[in-house]
Structures are given as structure tokens and as C-alpha cells.
Amino acid sequence: MNGYATLIGYCTQTILDYTTRNRKCKGSPKENHDCRHNFDGSAKAMEADAGVQLVLQSEILKKTSLEVGVLIGDEDSSTMASIHTVDPDLKIFKLADKNHQVKNLGKDLYELAKIHKELGGKGVIDHVKKCFSYAVAQNKGKTKNLAITLRSIPHHLFGNHEACANWCQTDDSVVHMVNLSDKILYEKLCSNFERLA
């Protein structure tokens, strides 16, 4: 199994560095070949190991005196844990990109739907994920507005549109497709969206 990781500059959107992890080599030990085997851990550990190399040991970053201050990726915390094991004093923030946030939100919602059947209704989870995506798209670069909008989503789902602002049509002619009523679900959704905000 092979894996690769890239370090991409947020502002420039260009690849700054990359690395690979290879658990196998197809060449014979007797042959004179360029062996790519460089990792013996589990497949799950590859990402964390590659992250440590890119964030803490990148020759390119060292030559340019750059340090990683914010790491944007998935919600997996193993990379951050590995980085802090090597350098416990490093000040680095972890953010998840929009696609991973939507995916993780979906996972959380499907877990909640196992207990709260109304959330599992046709199109409800897709609607919640769409509300999240709209909130992010419409508030790009406006972190305070994004936080306010994210906190308003549970209210929107339960028929309270006072805090929806311009992302939701609130006039009386609009029929909202999702109108939830489970109070315990409401509290859990408020908690989830507070974390996202």
C-alpha cells in the first residue's frame, strides 16, 4: 500500500512540498533498484507520519524560514497528535476544510437520526447539509457572520426564521420543506452547530 501527502499554501494554492509513504517495494532485493519502501506502520498511521514530515521537517519550509501556523485538512486528530508528540510546544491551529466539514456533519446527523427518527425523514439530512453549505458559501471571509448564520440553522429547522437573515426566505408565501419538532433533537443540533460556529 502506498500513500502520499501534499503541503499546499492556502493563499497561493500551490504545492509547497510533498512526501510519499510506501509499505512495499516491487523490486527484488537482489536487483539494483531505487527502493521506495520507507514505511512499516499501519495504513492509518501513514497520514500522521507524512504530516509530521511536512509540518516539522520540510527542507523547503526550512530554507524559506516558513512555519505552519494553521493546518487545514480532515477532522482526523492523529496528525495533530503526532506533531505535538514530536514538538509539544508548537503553536498550530487545526481547521477542517468545507468538504470534510460537510462529510463529518453528515456522519453526525446520521448518528442522531438513529435516535431521533424525525431527522431521518426523506430529504431532511440533505437539507441540513445544504443549509450548512449555503452558510459557508455566503459568508466566505466573514467569520463573525458565518458563526451567527451557523447558530441560526437549528432555529430555521424548527420553524423559527427570525435569525435567518438573507439566506432564508421568510415571507408567509414560502413553504419550508423541513419543520422539525423534537425538543431533544433541537438541543443536540444547537450543540452541534455551536461547535461548528
Side-chain angles (χ1 to χ4, degrees):
M1 169 170 262
N2 300 328
Y4 66 91
T6 55
L7 187 64
I8 301 172
Y10 178 75
C11 295
T12 63
Q13 295 295 299
T14 57
I15 295 174
L16 303 175
D17 202 354
Y18 71 95
T19 188
T20 62
R21 293 293 176 269
N22 303 289
R23 296 196 307 168
K24 295 181 180 177
C25 179
K26 293 184 180 178
S28 166
K30 295 177 183 175
E31 296 174 13
N32 183 14
H33 71 283
D34 184 12
C35 185
R36 300 295 176 170
H37 176 255
N38 64 358
F39 189 75
D40 291 314
S42 69
K44 181 161 178 49
M46 279 184 182
E47 180 181 346
D49 189 66
V52 168
Q53 180 183 338
L54 290 173
V55 171
L56 298 177
Q57 300 158 354
S58 168
E59 290 300 320
I60 293 169
L61 294 185
K62 286 178 185 175
K63 284 179 188 174
T64 55
S65 300
L66 286 174
E67 292 181 1
V68 176
V70 178
L71 187 63
I72 303 171
D74 59 19
E75 286 286 293
D76 183 5
S77 60
S78 60
T79 300
M80 288 296 286
S82 295
I83 289 169
H84 283 119
T85 297
V86 175
D87 187 350
D89 298 324
L90 181 67
K91 301 283 189 265
I92 187 169
F93 295 96
K94 176 80 168 82
L95 297 175
D97 63 73
K98 179 186 159 196
N99 293 337
H100 282 102
Q101 286 286 19
V102 171
K103 182 180 173 185
N104 290 323
L105 174 62
K107 283 184 196 174
D108 291 345
L109 294 172
Y110 282 111
E111 282 300 310
L112 280 174
K114 291 177 183 177
I115 301 165
H116 303 279
K117 300 303 178 196
E118 137 177 275
L119 185 59
K122 185 177 180 183
V124 175
I125 289 176
D126 286 339
H127 178 74
V128 178
K129 288 167 42 179
K130 191 181 291 185
C131 289
F132 174 82
S133 293
Y134 284 161
V136 172
Q138 293 176 358
N139 291 289
K140 191 171 184 177
K142 304 173 195 166
T143 54
K144 288 181 182 178
N145 287 350
L146 176 58
I148 291 166
T149 304
L150 290 175
R151 289 182 182 108
S152 73
I153 291 174
H155 307 292
H156 166 81
L157 299 170
F158 282 78
N160 180 353
H161 303 284
E162 291 174 14
C164 288
N166 62 356
W167 67 273
C168 167
Q169 295 177 340
T170 57
D171 60 60
D172 293 335
S173 65
V174 175
V175 177
H176 291 280
M177 303 304 287
V178 174
N179 288 299
L180 305 176
S181 60
D182 181 339
K183 301 288 187 205
I184 296 171
L185 173 60
Y186 171 75
E187 290 171 10
K188 289 180 180 177
L189 288 173
C190 283
S191 176
N192 280 7
F193 279 93
E194 181 63 35
R195 179 180 52 81
L196 290 169

Coordinates of all heavy atoms in Angstrom, one line a residue, residues 1-5 18-24 36-55 57:
M1 N 0.8 -1.2 0.0 CA 0.0 0.0 0.0 C 0.9 1.2 0.0 O 1.9 1.3 0.7 CB -0.9 0.0 1.2 CG -1.6 1.3 1.4 SD -2.9 1.2 2.7 CE -4.3 1.0 1.6
N2 N 0.5 2.2 -0.8 CA 1.2 3.5 -0.9 C 0.3 4.6 -0.5 O -0.9 4.5 -0.6 CB 1.7 3.7 -2.3 CG 2.6 2.6 -2.8 OD1 3.4 2.0 -2.0 ND2 2.6 2.3 -4.1
G3 N 0.9 5.7 -0.1 CA 0.2 6.9 0.2 C 1.0 8.1 -0.1 O 2.3 8.1 -0.1
Y4 N 0.4 9.3 -0.3 CA 1.1 10.5 -0.5 C 0.4 11.6 0.2 O -0.8 11.6 0.5 CB 1.2 10.8 -2.0 CG 0.0 11.1 -2.7 CD1 -0.5 12.4 -2.8 CD2 -0.8 10.1 -3.2 CE1 -1.7 12.7 -3.4 CE2 -2.0 10.4 -3.9 CZ -2.5 11.7 -3.9 OH -3.7 12.0 -4.5
A5 N 1.1 12.7 0.5 CA 0.6 13.9 1.2 C 1.2 15.1 0.6 O 2.4 15.1 0.2 CB 0.8 13.8 2.7
Y18 N 5.8 17.9 -0.8 CA 5.1 16.6 -0.8 C 5.9 15.5 -0.3 O 7.2 15.6 -0.2 CB 4.6 16.3 -2.2 CG 5.7 15.8 -3.2 CD1 5.9 14.5 -3.3 CD2 6.5 16.8 -3.8 CE1 7.0 14.1 -4.2 CE2 7.5 16.4 -4.7 CZ 7.7 15.0 -4.8 OH 8.8 14.6 -5.7
T19 N 5.3 14.4 0.1 CA 6.0 13.2 0.5 C 5.2 12.0 0.2 O 4.0 12.1 0.0 CB 6.3 13.3 2.0 OG1 7.2 12.2 2.3 CG2 5.1 13.2 2.9
T20 N 5.8 10.9 0.2 CA 5.1 9.6 -0.1 C 5.5 8.6 1.0 O 6.5 8.7 1.7 CB 5.5 9.0 -1.4 OG1 6.9 8.7 -1.4 CG2 5.2 9.9 -2.6
R21 N 4.6 7.7 1.2 CA 4.8 6.6 2.1 C 4.5 5.3 1.4 O 3.4 5.1 0.8 CB 3.8 6.7 3.4 CG 4.1 7.8 4.3 CD 5.5 7.7 4.9 NE 5.8 8.8 5.8 CZ 6.5 9.9 5.3 NH1 6.9 9.9 4.1 NH2 6.8 10.8 6.1
N22 N 5.5 4.4 1.4 CA 5.3 3.1 0.7 C 5.7 1.9 1.7 O 6.8 1.9 2.2 CB 6.3 3.1 -0.5 CG 6.1 4.2 -1.4 OD1 5.1 4.2 -2.1 ND2 7.0 5.2 -1.4
R23 N 4.7 1.0 1.8 CA 4.9 -0.1 2.7 C 5.5 -1.3 2.0 O 5.9 -2.3 2.6 CB 3.6 -0.5 3.4 CG 3.1 0.6 4.3 CD 2.1 0.2 5.3 NE 1.0 -0.5 4.6 CZ 0.0 -1.2 5.3 NH1 0.1 -1.3 6.6 NH2 -1.0 -1.7 4.7
K24 N 5.5 -1.3 0.7 CA 6.0 -2.4 -0.1 C 7.0 -1.9 -1.2 O 6.9 -0.7 -1.6 CB 4.9 -3.2 -0.8 CG 4.0 -3.8 0.3 CD 2.9 -4.6 -0.4 CE 2.0 -5.3 0.6 NZ 0.9 -6.0 0.1
R36 N 11.6 2.1 -3.0 CA 10.7 3.2 -2.5 C 10.1 2.8 -1.1 O 9.3 3.6 -0.6 CB 9.6 3.4 -3.5 CG 10.1 3.9 -4.8 CD 10.7 5.3 -4.7 NE 11.3 5.7 -5.9 CZ 11.7 6.9 -6.2 NH1 11.7 7.8 -5.2 NH2 12.2 7.2 -7.3
H37 N 10.5 1.6 -0.6 CA 9.9 1.2 0.7 C 10.5 2.2 1.8 O 11.7 2.3 2.0 CB 10.3 -0.2 1.0 CG 9.9 -0.7 2.4 ND1 10.7 -0.8 3.4 CD2 8.6 -1.0 2.8 CE1 10.1 -1.2 4.5 NE2 8.8 -1.3 4.2
N38 N 9.6 2.9 2.5 CA 10.0 3.8 3.5 C 9.1 3.9 4.7 O 9.2 4.8 5.6 CB 10.2 5.2 2.9 CG 8.9 5.8 2.5 OD1 7.8 5.2 2.5 ND2 9.0 7.1 2.0
F39 N 8.2 2.9 4.9 CA 7.3 3.0 6.0 C 6.8 1.6 6.3 O 6.5 0.8 5.5 CB 6.1 3.8 5.6 CG 5.2 4.1 6.7 CD1 5.5 5.1 7.7 CD2 3.9 3.5 6.9 CE1 4.7 5.3 8.8 CE2 3.1 3.8 7.9 CZ 3.5 4.7 8.9
D40 N 6.8 1.3 7.6 CA 6.4 -0.1 8.1 C 5.2 0.0 9.0 O 4.7 -1.1 9.4 CB 7.5 -0.7 8.9 CG 8.7 -1.1 8.0 OD1 8.4 -1.6 6.9 OD2 9.9 -0.8 8.3
G41 N 4.6 1.1 9.3 CA 3.4 1.2 10.1 C 2.1 0.9 9.4 O 2.1 0.4 8.3
S42 N 1.0 1.1 10.1 CA -0.3 0.8 9.5 C -0.7 1.9 8.5 O -0.1 2.9 8.4 CB -1.3 0.8 10.7 OG -1.5 2.1 11.1
A43 N -1.6 1.5 7.7 CA -2.1 2.4 6.7 C -2.6 3.7 7.3 O -2.4 4.8 6.8 CB -3.2 1.8 5.8
K44 N -3.3 3.6 8.5 CA -3.9 4.8 9.1 C -2.8 5.7 9.7 O -2.9 6.9 9.7 CB -4.8 4.3 10.3 CG -5.4 5.4 11.1 CD -6.6 5.0 11.9 CE -7.2 6.1 12.7 NZ -7.5 7.3 12.0
A45 N -1.6 5.1 10.0 CA -0.5 5.9 10.6 C 0.3 6.6 9.5 O 1.0 7.5 9.8 CB 0.4 5.0 11.4
M46 N 0.0 6.3 8.2 CA 0.8 6.9 7.1 C 0.5 8.4 7.1 O 1.4 9.2 7.0 CB 0.3 6.4 5.8 CG 1.0 5.1 5.4 SD 0.4 4.7 3.7 CE 1.2 3.1 3.5
E47 N -0.8 8.8 7.2 CA -1.1 10.2 7.1 C -0.5 11.1 8.2 O 0.1 12.1 8.0 CB -2.7 10.4 7.2 CG -3.1 11.8 7.1 CD -4.6 12.0 7.2 OE1 -5.3 11.0 7.1 OE2 -5.1 13.1 7.4
A48 N -0.5 10.5 9.5 CA 0.1 11.2 10.6 C 1.6 11.4 10.4 O 2.2 12.4 10.6 CB -0.2 10.5 11.9
D49 N 2.3 10.3 10.0 CA 3.7 10.3 9.8 C 4.1 11.3 8.7 O 5.1 12.1 8.8 CB 4.2 8.9 9.4 CG 5.7 8.8 9.4 OD1 6.3 8.9 10.5 OD2 6.2 8.6 8.3
A50 N 3.4 11.3 7.6 CA 3.6 12.2 6.5 C 3.4 13.7 7.0 O 4.1 14.6 6.6 CB 2.7 11.9 5.3
G51 N 2.3 13.9 7.8 CA 2.1 15.2 8.3 C 3.2 15.8 9.2 O 3.6 16.9 9.1
V52 N 3.8 14.9 10.0 CA 4.9 15.3 10.8 C 6.1 15.7 9.9 O 6.7 16.8 10.1 CB 5.4 14.2 11.8 CG1 6.7 14.5 12.4 CG2 4.3 13.9 12.8
Q53 N 6.4 14.9 8.9 CA 7.5 15.3 8.0 C 7.2 16.6 7.3 O 8.1 17.5 7.3 CB 7.7 14.2 6.9 CG 8.8 14.6 6.0 CD 9.0 13.6 4.9 OE1 8.6 12.5 5.0 NE2 9.7 14.1 3.8
L54 N 6.0 16.9 6.8 CA 5.7 18.1 6.0 C 5.7 19.3 6.9 O 6.2 20.4 6.6 CB 4.4 18.0 5.3 CG 4.4 17.0 4.1 CD1 3.0 16.8 3.5 CD2 5.4 17.5 3.0
V55 N 5.1 19.2 8.1 CA 5.0 20.3 9.0 C 6.3 20.7 9.8 O 6.7 21.8 9.9 CB 3.8 20.1 10.0 CG1 3.8 21.2 11.1 CG2 2.5 20.1 9.2
Q57 N 9.6 18.9 9.3 CA 10.9 18.5 8.8 C 11.0 18.9 7.3 O 12.0 18.5 6.7 CB 11.1 17.0 8.9 CG 11.0 16.6 10.4 CD 10.7 15.1 10.6 OE1 10.4 14.4 9.6 NE2 10.7 14.7 11.8

